[in-house]
Amino acid sequence: MKQGIRRDPRLWSIESKILAKTTSDANGMFLWAKMMIEYLKNAPTSHTQLMRLERFPRGLAEIYSRFLSEKVAALEPEEVVMRDEIFKLLVAAVRPLHVSEISMALALRSSNTHPDDGNLLMDPESKIHRLCWPLVAITNHRAGLVHTSVKEFFLQCSEPSLPGSPRFTYHDCQTYIARKCLFRLIHEDLASLPLIRSLMEENISGIPQSAGNNSSSAIHWTFYQYACDNWHKHVLSTNASQQVLCLLSYFLRTIEFVTWSEMVSRPNGDMGPVLEVKSLLRSWHCNLSVDDQSKLEVGGFLVRPYSKLYQAAKNANPSHLLPYLVLKRLGFYFNLTAEFPKGQGPYELRKEVAEGFQRSLGETHQLTMRSVAEYCIERFVRAEFEASETALLNMMHLQKLHLDYNSSDSFYSQQYAALAMWHQMRFVESEANQREANEGMLRTLGPMNREFLKGQMFLGFAVEAQGKFEDACSIYESIWRLWTSLQGPDNPLSLFSQCCMAICLRKKKDYASAERQLLEVLAKRQCIFGEKNFITIDTALNLALLYEEWAMPDQSTAYLDLAGSMGLGDQSFERICQSRHLRAYLKLDEHRPEDAKEILESTLTEASSTNIQACRELLWIRITLANILRTLQKSDAASLLFIGLVRPIGLNGDSPDRVEPPAQLALAEQAIRYAMADDLDGADRVLKSENLEWCHRRMFWIMVGGPAVDTASRKHATYYSNPLEGDSWTKQHPPHALL
């Protein structure tokens, strides 16, 4: 303090009085002392200086009121309005604003306008300083409130003690800046088709495009980047004023929304940030009044504006690339969210994109080949793993032939071909191919790229399936921590890797850690994807399996019921089988084998009567039911469960009249027990030793999920034990006896 006084001759004569005042009134507050010094320096006369010193208030709030009240007399009425609007901006802003951003925000009075120079402050820095000093500090042309207490001062509920000292509510400030953000985001120049094409090409290729880098482009308008990054934060902090609701409802339906979506997805096209906004918006919408909810439709989030853009692009130039770029991005969104809308779903979208690029660019263009690969990947949802693997490996060779050495595209195709191998239970082969693909991804894209990290996660699948739980858990955790630090904990890849890690923790019998992670994932997925999405339902089913294995039947039942209320009945029959199998396990845990038997038999009867093809879970159900029947002294009935699953090698087609000898049924059961322990190769050897093969090998294929629950990994579910009889049956029928 003394050094500050001695550096300014204007304060020398009253140094002792300043120090005495500071000692008595400052209460150790540096800001108080600093503001008093600045206040005294600006006094026009020594008499005024002494008067200011004597009257300088003790509390910061009183100081702020005094400054504002004294300055208001020197301002014109329109300047007072401008000053208060600047304060509102800075109270609500999530970061200091550049003085040019403040000038632009003040000038934005409606949507679809772009203020010209005549509406902007001529010297914004000087103007802001004159109107708002000393409550606002400007550093490197960025303005912010001088102290957090200034924000508290403006938002306090009491009426101002002095004239010219404004008070705002929190919602006033948030509504003001939310409107300004939406005004900035809505403009016809931001619906420019060339601009959007440039952004989409950049997000798809990862290479900056000319239109997006043009300084005159609308996306470089002052205050646009702030609005892109923060509009939703301000909207969700308002009390849903009618003007904000109307603006938001309009924005969510416009092509300008697409520009915003592509902007926040830069530079690698990751739509995770868009999904986070969707999640927050849905939660906020649920808390609105019924009347306000009716004014804002959030159900078509992203799909509606992208579909609108697709039609506009198709009408403008049907043979142009933009319609297919739009469909490509929509397909990416559907793949990310696991949403499968009625009508033209992701499969049809990917197919149309691939065919469109083939017509426009040729079969060996990089974009065409990548789109064909993505179409092959979309076939996973239809369980077309074998055909997809073949097509992806062919595409990999084609990409290596036609693309640059530093292109990642061939590794991308190999990565998903390896995933198709995993779905077909060829885990060792999948791991080898995944490691090779990931080495290429690492070289071409780097360790923090989304596609490389997804490849690492697929590697974790293959490692985990071979029983290397420690290694798999380490892989999942590293992905989760890295991607969370880069994109946040709500990003779909963050949540997927976290869920994989939790499932692996359960297999390691670290139930408490698995529970904590799964509960967190479920809560976030409910918000982001909704409760009807199979990814969310899979999370609930994995929690049910965790609690059943952890001997917590009430919790397990509760999550099975939750999965049912989420729309489990509308999902694939295999998920329904998983839920029923878990309920049967709960009955076995209660020593009620007859009840468990009834659940499982009714499931098999339903599958048979509706001609549902055999799947993994139906095979595992057969094993559990066989164990129960043998415990109930019904061994013949247990053997009959395995009719129609295997056949002599070379005997094609089903023959319902063919009699299967007991030894063949025993071999079928034994082979399934191998497969249940993730050893399909061992199962094949069991059958081949007696000249047998599976009637339908695809019944063992692993379904697409979030990840799907794996009841075979339940600690009592392997072929080494019987939930009711311990090891008694398997000691008589060891799994390796037929090798």
Side-chain angles (χ1 to χ4, degrees):
M1 174 67 87
K2 289 181 180 179
Q3 291 177 352
I5 295 171
R6 289 169 184 172
R7 280 197 296 266
D8 195 318
R10 292 172 294 180
L11 304 177
W12 290 352
S13 62
I14 56 170
E15 177 180 355
S16 59
K17 293 180 180 180
I18 293 173
L19 294 175
K21 179 77 171 179
T22 302
T23 302
S24 63
D25 293 359
N27 292 322
M29 291 186 291
F30 175 77
L31 178 62
W32 183 95
K34 179 181 178 182
M35 295 187 79
M36 181 182 70
I37 291 295
E38 292 297 321
Y39 189 46
L40 297 177
K41 283 181 182 179
N42 291 324
T45 66
S46 58
H47 178 73
T48 304
Q49 195 177 60
L50 282 171
M51 187 170 60
R52 286 187 174 186
L53 178 62
E54 292 171 2
R55 296 180 180 178
F56 198 77
R58 289 194 173 195
L60 287 175
E62 293 180 54
I63 296 173
Y64 302 153
S65 290
R66 175 70 56 83
F67 283 151
L68 292 169
S69 180
E70 287 184 2
K71 292 193 70 171
V72 76
L75 301 178
E76 297 294 331
E78 64 272 15
E79 290 182 313
V80 175
V81 173
M82 183 183 294
R83 179 201 67 173
D84 292 352
E85 290 183 346
I86 294 171
F87 285 143
K88 284 182 182 180
L89 284 171
L90 296 180
V91 165
V94 299
R95 62 162 173 79
L97 296 175
H98 195 281
V99 292
S100 63
E101 291 179 312
I102 294 174
S103 176
M104 179 59 71
L106 294 173
L108 286 166
R109 297 295 177 183
S110 66
S111 60
N112 209 29
T113 58
H114 180 54
D116 58 30
D117 291 344
N119 299 113
L120 303 176
L121 299 177
M122 289 187 288
D123 185 356
E125 189 160 333
S126 297
K127 188 71 171 181
I128 294 167
H129 183 270
R130 189 175 80 82
L131 294 178
C132 303
W133 183 90
L135 276 62
V136 169
I138 300 176
T139 306
N140 295 326
H141 310 297
R142 293 188 175 275
L145 299 176
V146 73
H147 192 261
T148 55
S149 59
V150 177
K151 181 175 181 177
E152 295 167 2
F153 164 76
F154 282 128
L155 297 179
Q156 64 188 13
C157 297
S158 61
E159 290 296 320
S161 58
L162 295 172
S165 177
R167 295 291 189 276
F168 316 117
T169 68
Y170 176 76
H171 292 302
D172 286 340
C173 299
Q174 294 294 345
T175 298
Y176 180 79
I177 197 169
R179 288 173 51 240
K180 298 294 184 177
C181 287
L182 291 170
F183 287 160
R184 179 77 294 182
L185 292 171
I186 302 170
H187 192 280
E188 60 184 12
D189 286 7
L190 292 163
S192 160
L193 299 188
L195 170 62
I196 295 173
R197 172 181 170 174
S198 175
L199 291 172
M200 286 187 171
E201 287 178 342
E202 177 177 334
N203 281 328
I204 290 169
S205 69
I207 302 172
Q209 304 295 310
S210 57
N213 291 319
N214 186 345
S215 60
S216 63
S217 171
I219 61 173
H220 295 293
W221 284 349
T222 302
F223 197 60
Y224 182 73
Q225 190 62 55
Y226 181 91
C228 271
D229 294 340
N230 302 296
W231 69 265
H232 61 285
K233 300 173 187 174
H234 298 303
V235 166
L236 302 183
S237 298
T238 69
N239 55 2
S241 71
Q242 296 307 301
Q243 190 174 20
V244 168
L245 283 177
C246 289
L247 279 169
L248 179 58
S249 178
Y250 179 74
F251 173 62
L252 294 179
R253 301 193 304 269
T254 63
I255 291 177
E256 289 97 313
F257 175 95
V258 178
T259 304
W260 165 77
S261 173
E262 296 299 321
M263 278 290 292
V264 296
S265 299
R266 297 169 87 188
N268 57 13
D270 182 16
M271 283 185 168
V274 182
L275 287 185
E276 290 176 33
V277 173
K278 175 186 176 182
S279 169
L280 294 169
L281 195 60
R282 286 175 58 168
S283 298
W284 179 74
H285 185 262
C286 289
N287 293 321
L288 297 178
S289 67
V290 175
D291 184 48
D292 285 342
Q293 285 182 0
S294 66
K295 297 172 184 175
L296 181 65
E297 175 58 50
V298 297
F301 185 89
L302 190 139
V303 177
R304 187 166 45 193
Y306 274 76
S307 299
K308 184 176 181 180
L309 172 62
Y310 171 73
Q311 289 301 326
K314 204 167 184 181
N315 293 337
N317 190 344
S319 63
H320 205 268
L321 286 180
L322 183 55
Y324 304 113
L325 293 173
V326 176
L327 291 182
K328 187 177 176 70
R329 294 296 283 159
L330 264 177
F332 180 81
Y333 172 78
F334 290 140
N335 185 269
L336 194 64
T337 59
E339 291 180 2
F340 304 110
K342 295 178 181 178
Q344 191 179 39
Y347 181 88
E348 291 77 17
L349 284 179
R350 298 286 195 188
K351 184 177 181 182
E352 185 176 346
V353 169
E355 291 174 348
F357 285 148
Q358 281 178 333
R359 288 192 301 269
S360 303
L361 302 173
E363 293 187 352
T364 57
H365 189 279
Q366 182 174 9
L367 199 53
T368 301
M369 291 190 288
R370 182 63 171 251
S371 297
V372 171
E374 289 170 345
Y375 164 63
C376 295
I377 295 165
E378 206 60 59
R379 296 171 70 181
F380 284 19
V381 177
R382 299 189 174 198
E384 297 174 2
F385 302 117
E386 194 170 29
S388 295
E389 177 196 341
T390 300
L392 285 166
L393 290 175
N394 288 337
M395 181 54 64
M396 176 191 74
H397 294 304
L398 194 64
Q399 288 165 325
K400 286 184 176 180
L401 182 64
H402 291 281
L403 299 181
D404 184 81
Y405 172 75
N406 291 318
S407 169
S408 64
D409 288 39
S410 64
F411 305 116
Y412 177 85
S413 297
Q414 184 180 15
Q415 183 184 76
Y416 280 92
L419 180 61
M421 296 170 193
W422 173 82
H423 278 287
Q424 297 169 76
M425 293 189 68
R426 287 157 42 211
F427 303 129
V428 175
E429 190 178 355
S430 174
E431 179 185 355
N433 275 273
Q434 204 64 255
R435 289 190 184 280
E436 183 179 327
N438 289 356
E439 286 179 10
M441 283 287 194
L442 181 62
R443 177 177 61 79
T444 56
L445 298 177
M448 294 186 289
N449 181 271
R450 180 184 69 244
E451 297 304 333
F452 167 71
L453 292 175
K454 284 166 69 175
Q456 286 294 97
M457 189 159 59
F458 301 157
L459 175 63
F461 293 175
V463 170
E464 178 186 349
Q466 296 173 68
K468 306 170 190 175
F469 301 141
E470 287 289 347
D471 293 344
C473 206
S474 177
I475 291 171
Y476 297 142
E477 184 175 4
S478 64
I479 297 168
W480 173 55
R481 293 192 181 282
L482 177 57
W483 202 246
T484 297
S485 68
L486 294 173
Q487 298 291 336
D490 297 338
N491 185 278
L493 179 58
S494 302
L495 292 174
F496 201 99
S497 55
Q498 185 179 7
C499 192
C500 291
M501 177 178 67
I503 292 169
C504 222
L505 288 168
R506 174 186 65 78
K507 293 178 180 179
K508 291 171 57 183
K509 300 181 175 53
D510 185 354
Y511 299 128
S513 298
E515 176 193 37
R516 184 174 64 255
Q517 301 292 352
L518 280 174
L519 288 173
E520 187 175 309
V521 171
L522 177 62
K524 291 177 178 177
R525 282 179 164 176
Q526 285 175 301
C527 290
I528 295 172
F529 302 117
E531 296 196 337
K532 301 297 183 183
N533 193 297
F534 73 77
I535 286 181
T536 309
I537 292 172
D538 282 343
T539 316
L541 290 175
N542 273 299
L543 270 164
L545 174 58
L546 165 70
Y547 285 126
E548 188 279 327
E549 189 173 310
W550 201 2
M552 300 173 72
D554 291 343
Q555 290 89 333
S556 181
T557 301
Y559 280 97
L560 288 172
D561 292 342
L562 176 62
S565 69
M566 289 176 173
L568 176 63
D570 298 327
Q571 297 293 325
S572 68
F573 187 67
E574 185 163 5
R575 283 189 174 81
I576 297 171
C577 292
Q578 291 166 349
S579 175
R580 293 177 184 174
H581 200 176
L582 285 171
R583 289 189 187 277
Y585 278 141
L586 289 168
K587 298 299 182 185
L588 293 178
D589 294 338
E590 296 172 4
H591 305 289
R592 294 165 60 185
E594 288 287 355
D595 291 345
K597 170 177 167 289
E598 182 180 347
I599 292 172
L600 299 179
E601 284 182 336
S602 66
T603 302
L604 291 174
T605 299
E606 181 180 348
S608 176
S609 63
T610 54
N611 293 319
I612 293 175
Q613 289 187 341
C615 61
R616 282 168 63 86
E617 200 62 37
L618 284 172
L619 296 174
W620 307 163
I621 282 175
R622 282 178 165 85
I623 293 296
T624 303
L625 183 55
N627 290 340
I628 296 171
L629 290 171
R630 289 193 175 90
T631 300
L632 299 174
Q633 308 301 315
K634 298 179 179 180
S635 297
D636 290 344
S639 297
L640 294 176
L641 293 172
F642 303 96
I643 289 176
L645 300 178
V646 301
R647 66 191 177 196
I649 293 175
L651 183 63
N652 296 323
D654 295 326
S655 178
D657 299 328
R658 186 175 66 247
V659 176
E660 298 184 39
Q664 181 172 315
L665 299 179
L667 282 163
E669 178 180 358
Q670 202 73 345
I672 291 173
R673 290 179 182 272
Y674 269 95
M676 203 171 181
D678 286 330
D679 187 6
L680 190 55
D681 290 339
D684 290 340
R685 289 194 296 271
V686 167
L687 297 180
K688 193 173 182 180
S689 67
E690 297 296 325
N691 199 40
L692 296 172
E693 65 181 2
W694 300 109
C695 291
H696 303 287
R697 189 179 177 83
R698 62 179 296 152
M699 59 191 172
F700 289 103
W701 291 356
I702 302 168
M703 68 187 298
V704 172
V709 70
D710 181 16
T711 59
S713 67
R714 178 181 174 271
K715 67 179 180 181
H716 301 304
T718 69
Y719 52 59
Y720 292 108
S721 64
N722 180 317
L724 297 175
E725 295 187 341
D727 293 340
S728 60
W729 189 83
T730 50
K731 284 177 181 176
Q732 299 170 32
H733 304 80
H736 53 275
L738 300 173
L739 288 177

